[in-house]
């Protein structure tokens, strides 16, 4: 029995499993994975509330900063003002850059989580295929044995009624065939259970599709906010910066909320991945009522655990061997005396060959290696790729929350600076020709400056007096004189 394909908890699973679990009464709770128990649920909610506490702290800091900025009058010099404006602008840019880095981490984490969940669904579908094949193989073999017992063996008993030794052999064959059918029917452990791996895989895949789409939309929203914020700062578009500030505040709430959800999910998943065998076996036994020996055989798949089907398979193999020897004796002794039994004996021999082929295929399917490999692959997908993806999404939410907190604090000062640039023109002299506002008004009234005509230049191009701005008088002289 192979023991090479094993699952071992990762180091980040061990670290997260050591996180203190505390309920609402600040009492330590056992870190064993038990999502159906209320104390354990309180521990996960308590961890999620840490993100809510961080949200409250960030909102308090934003309010203090904005109140101080709005109520305190600055008496600093002009150089310090420009220096502070530069700091505000670069702080906004730095926050946007950090947010973009977090967005890249978020895309990677979302992809890793999706890969891990896909591995889980693929393993469940493969396990369902194996279990379905076992049930179909057993049902087909039992049906074949019962049909042969009712038809061909019954006809052979009628043919060999006058020969007692042949009749005894046929009846022994009948009993052996019925015993094989009974043994195989007892082996079918998954038939009639309420747990269907394919249905579970479809439900997990359905939930994962919506989770993946939700994170993609959140990442794209963060990216659009970052791009439009940079555009508003570069072009100094006040209304765009104001809109991005308001949207950033709402995304700040989403970031802290997603961080709390991811923190609780990461800790809960680490508790499951630290010791998954016991929880899986207990829950499967409760749902399916399968024997613990069978579940332990497929979950552990070690040399220390015996095959729970070994006795029935051995007895079925012996019964098939007895049927084969008895049919061989009937072909050698009974066919020369009863040629009419040849057709029925050939039918029974074909049934025996088909049953032996199905039996060897069933032995291979019942071996623990196939289902145990699917179980380990599902654990690796969930606890390796899935856990890694959730941790990257947690880092994305944290960086996004920090960057949007800094942006909400800095962007109001930036758009205030945009307004002050137009107000500074009021201190200038309206008659000053170098006043940009006066120049804009003059251009708006006149349309464009009057340029001198081509014909205003005389033949003496070198003298300054020959350049006249006014239009030339109308003359009847020929054009050649101007040339």
């Amino acid at each position: 029995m192979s023991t090479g394909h094993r699952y071992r908890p990762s180091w980040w699973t061990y670290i997260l499993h050591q996180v203190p679990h505390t309920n609402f009464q600040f009492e330590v709770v056992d870190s064993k994975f038990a999502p159906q128990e209320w104390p354990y649920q309180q521990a996960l909610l308590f961890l999620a509330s840490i993100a809510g506490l961080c949200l409250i702290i960030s909102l308090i800091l934003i309010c203090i900063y904005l109140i101080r900025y709005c109520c305190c009058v600055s008496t600093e010099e002009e150089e310090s003002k420009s220096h502070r404006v530069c700091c505000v602008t670069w702080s906004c840019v730095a926050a946007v850059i950090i947010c973009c880095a977090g967005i890249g981490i978020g895309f990677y984490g979302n992809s890793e989580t999706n890969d891990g969940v896909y591995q889980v669904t693929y393993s469940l579908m493969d396990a369902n295929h194996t279990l379905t094949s076992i049930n179909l193989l057993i049902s087909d073999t039992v049906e074949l044995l019962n049909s042969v017992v009712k038809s061909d063996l019954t006809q052979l008993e009628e043919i060999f009624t006058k020969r007692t030794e042949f009749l005894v052999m046929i009846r022994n064959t009948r009993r052996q065939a019925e015993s094989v059918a009974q043994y195989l029917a007892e082996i079918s452990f998954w038939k009639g259970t309420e747990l269907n791996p394919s249905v579970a895989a479809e439900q997990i895949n359905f939930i994962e599709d919506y989770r993946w789409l939700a994170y993609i939309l959140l990442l794209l929203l963060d990216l659009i906010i970052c791009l439009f914020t940079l555009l508003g700062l570069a072009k100094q578009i006040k209304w765009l910066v104001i809109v991005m500030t308001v949207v950033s505040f709402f995304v700040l709430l989403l970031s802290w909320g997603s961080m709390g959800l991811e923190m609780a999910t990461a800790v809960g998943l680490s508790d499951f991945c630290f010791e998954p065998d016991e929880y899986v076996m207990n829950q499967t036994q409760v749902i399916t009522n399968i024997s613990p020996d069978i579940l332990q055989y497929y979950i552990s798949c070690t040399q220390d655990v015996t095959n729970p089907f070994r006795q029935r398979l051995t007895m079925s193999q012996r019964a098939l061997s007895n049927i084969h020897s008895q049919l061989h004796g009937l072909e050698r002794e009974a066919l020369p005396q009863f040629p009419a039994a040849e057709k029925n004996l050939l039918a029974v021999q074909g049934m025996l060959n088909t049953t032996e082929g199905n039996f060897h295929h069933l032995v291979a399917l019942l071996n623990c290696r196939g289902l145990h490999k699917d179980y380990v692959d599902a654990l690796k997908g969930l606890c390796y790729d899935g856990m890694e993806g959730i941790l990257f999404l947690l880092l994305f939410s944290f960086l996004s929350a920090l960057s949007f907190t800094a942006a909400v604090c800095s962007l109001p000062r930036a758009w205030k600076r945009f307004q002050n640039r137009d107000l500074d023109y009021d201190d200038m002299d309206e008659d000053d020709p170098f006043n940009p506002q006066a120049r804009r008004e003059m251009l708006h009234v006149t349309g464009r400056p009057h340029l001198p005509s081509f014909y205003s230049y005389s033949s003496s191009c070198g003298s300054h007096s020959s350049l006249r701005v006014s239009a030339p008088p109308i003359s009847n002289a020929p054009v050649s004189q101007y040339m």
Side-chain angles (χ1 to χ4, degrees):
M1 190 178 297
S2 177
T3 59
H5 199 72
R6 291 294 167 198
Y7 162 76
R8 293 181 180 178
S10 56
W11 61 270
W12 56 79
T13 298
Y14 179 78
I15 292 175
L16 291 175
H17 182 67
Q18 301 303 320
V19 173
H21 293 59
T22 308
N23 58 10
F24 294 155
Q25 289 77 28
F26 298 98
E27 298 174 353
V28 178
V29 180
D30 188 11
S31 59
K32 183 179 178 180
F33 186 70
Q36 68 278 1
E37 297 181 2
W38 175 236
Y40 185 80
Q41 296 175 3
Q42 289 183 3
L44 295 183
L45 291 175
F46 185 83
L47 290 173
S49 64
I50 295 177
L53 179 61
C54 295
L55 172 62
I56 295 174
I57 293 174
S58 64
L59 292 178
I60 292 174
L61 293 177
I62 290 172
C63 291
I64 292 175
Y65 183 85
L66 294 179
I67 290 173
R68 180 180 177 275
Y69 171 69
C70 295
C71 297
C72 296
V73 180
S74 178
T75 58
E76 298 179 356
E77 297 179 355
E78 201 65 32
E79 295 181 358
S80 62
K81 276 187 178 181
S82 61
H83 178 71
R84 293 180 66 182
V85 169
C86 182
C87 291
V88 169
T89 303
W90 280 108
S91 64
C92 294
V93 174
V96 171
I97 292 175
I98 293 174
C99 184
C100 291
I103 290 171
I105 295 174
F107 273 109
Y108 177 76
N110 194 35
S111 176
E112 284 294 308
T113 305
N114 185 260
D115 292 341
V117 176
Y118 173 77
Q119 182 64 38
V120 173
T121 56
Y122 179 80
S123 300
L124 287 175
M125 295 298 292
D126 196 13
N128 181 73
H129 180 266
T130 301
L131 295 172
T132 305
S133 299
I134 292 173
N135 291 333
L136 290 177
L137 195 60
I138 290 176
S139 61
D140 292 344
T141 305
V142 170
E143 184 179 356
L144 178 62
L145 289 171
N146 292 330
S147 64
V148 170
V149 168
K150 293 179 180 179
S151 59
D152 295 298
L153 290 178
T154 303
Q155 293 178 6
L156 288 174
E157 287 181 356
E158 296 176 356
I159 294 174
F160 299 140
T161 303
K162 298 180 179 180
R163 297 293 302 269
T164 307
E165 64 275 15
F166 296 154
L167 185 60
V168 171
M169 295 176 66
I170 290 298
R171 289 179 177 177
N172 288 334
T173 302
R174 183 191 186 97
R175 285 194 297 269
Q176 296 292 336
E178 291 175 350
S179 299
V180 172
Q182 182 180 358
Y183 294 147
L184 294 180
E186 293 175 355
I187 290 176
S188 182
F189 63 94
W190 199 262
K191 187 176 182 179
T193 59
E194 297 180 358
L195 181 61
N196 191 346
S198 63
V199 176
E202 292 176 357
Q203 293 176 353
I204 293 174
N205 197 16
F206 178 78
I207 296 173
E208 171 59 19
D209 288 340
Y210 280 97
R211 186 212 62 82
W212 178 85
L213 180 61
Y215 269 99
I216 287 294
L217 295 177
L218 180 60
L219 290 167
L220 291 178
L221 179 61
D222 289 0
L223 183 60
I224 291 173
I225 292 174
C226 291
L227 294 179
F228 278 101
T229 301
L230 289 178
L231 178 63
L233 292 174
K235 297 294 185 180
Q236 296 186 356
I237 306 174
K238 181 179 177 181
W239 67 268
L240 183 59
V241 176
I242 293 175
V243 171
M244 290 301 104
T245 304
V246 176
V247 177
S248 298
F249 179 78
F250 288 104
V251 177
L252 172 65
L253 304 179
L254 291 177
S255 298
W256 286 118
S258 63
M259 179 180 170
L261 179 62
E262 291 150 4
M263 185 181 300
T265 304
V267 174
L269 186 59
S270 67
D271 296 337
F272 168 78
C273 296
F274 189 74
E275 292 179 350
D277 295 346
E278 182 178 357
Y279 179 79
V280 172
M281 188 172 66
N282 293 334
Q283 292 299 314
T284 306
Q285 183 180 0
V286 169
I287 297 174
T288 61
N289 294 323
I290 297 177
S291 173
D293 297 335
I294 298 176
L295 295 177
Q296 185 67 33
Y297 172 68
Y298 286 111
I299 291 176
S300 300
C301 194
T302 57
Q303 296 179 355
D304 300 332
V305 181
T306 59
N307 189 345
F309 309 109
R310 179 179 299 175
Q311 183 178 2
R312 295 185 181 88
L313 292 176
T314 302
M315 296 176 67
S316 298
Q317 181 66 38
R318 290 175 182 175
L320 291 175
S321 299
N322 293 333
I323 293 174
H324 184 76
S325 62
Q326 290 171 2
L327 290 178
H328 183 69
L330 288 173
E331 289 178 357
R332 186 180 63 253
E333 298 177 3
L335 280 182
Q337 302 178 20
F338 299 92
E342 181 179 4
K343 180 180 179 182
N344 299 109
L345 285 176
L346 290 177
V348 175
Q349 186 65 39
M351 176 274 300
L352 179 62
N353 295 333
T354 303
T355 303
E356 287 181 345
N358 293 342
F359 179 80
H360 292 299
H361 190 195
L362 180 62
V363 170
L365 289 176
L366 289 174
N367 191 279
C368 67
R369 296 177 183 177
L371 288 176
H372 180 72
K373 181 180 180 300
D374 295 331
Y375 172 70
V376 173
D377 288 341
L379 287 180
K380 288 183 177 180
L382 183 63
C383 300
Y384 290 170
D385 295 338
M387 175 68 74
E388 183 181 356
I390 291 176
L391 292 178
F392 277 110
L393 288 176
L394 178 62
L395 180 59
F396 150 71
S397 298
F398 180 70
L399 293 178
S400 176
L402 290 182
S403 61
F404 282 120
T405 300
V408 171
C409 291
S410 303
L411 289 177
R413 302 196 64 181
W415 88 58
K416 183 68 175 178
R417 180 58 184 171
F418 300 162
Q419 182 180 6
N420 289 337
R421 290 187 61 190
D422 294 333
L423 294 177
D424 290 341
Y425 293 142
D426 296 338
D427 299 334
M428 298 182 182
D429 187 5
E430 295 181 356
D431 297 333
D432 188 0
F434 297 99
N435 186 353
Q437 188 173 4
R439 287 206 305 268
R440 288 198 297 266
E441 292 178 357
M442 182 179 64
L443 291 175
H444 179 70
V445 173
T446 59
R448 61 185 179 90
H450 180 72
L451 297 178
S453 175
F454 174 79
Y455 295 104
S456 64
Y457 297 96
S458 64
S459 60
S460 57
C461 297
S463 62
H464 294 284
S465 61
S466 61
L467 299 177
R468 293 176 298 174
V469 179
S470 59
I474 300 176
S475 176
N476 294 327
V479 182
S480 61
Q481 292 182 5
Y482 291 98
M483 299 301 292

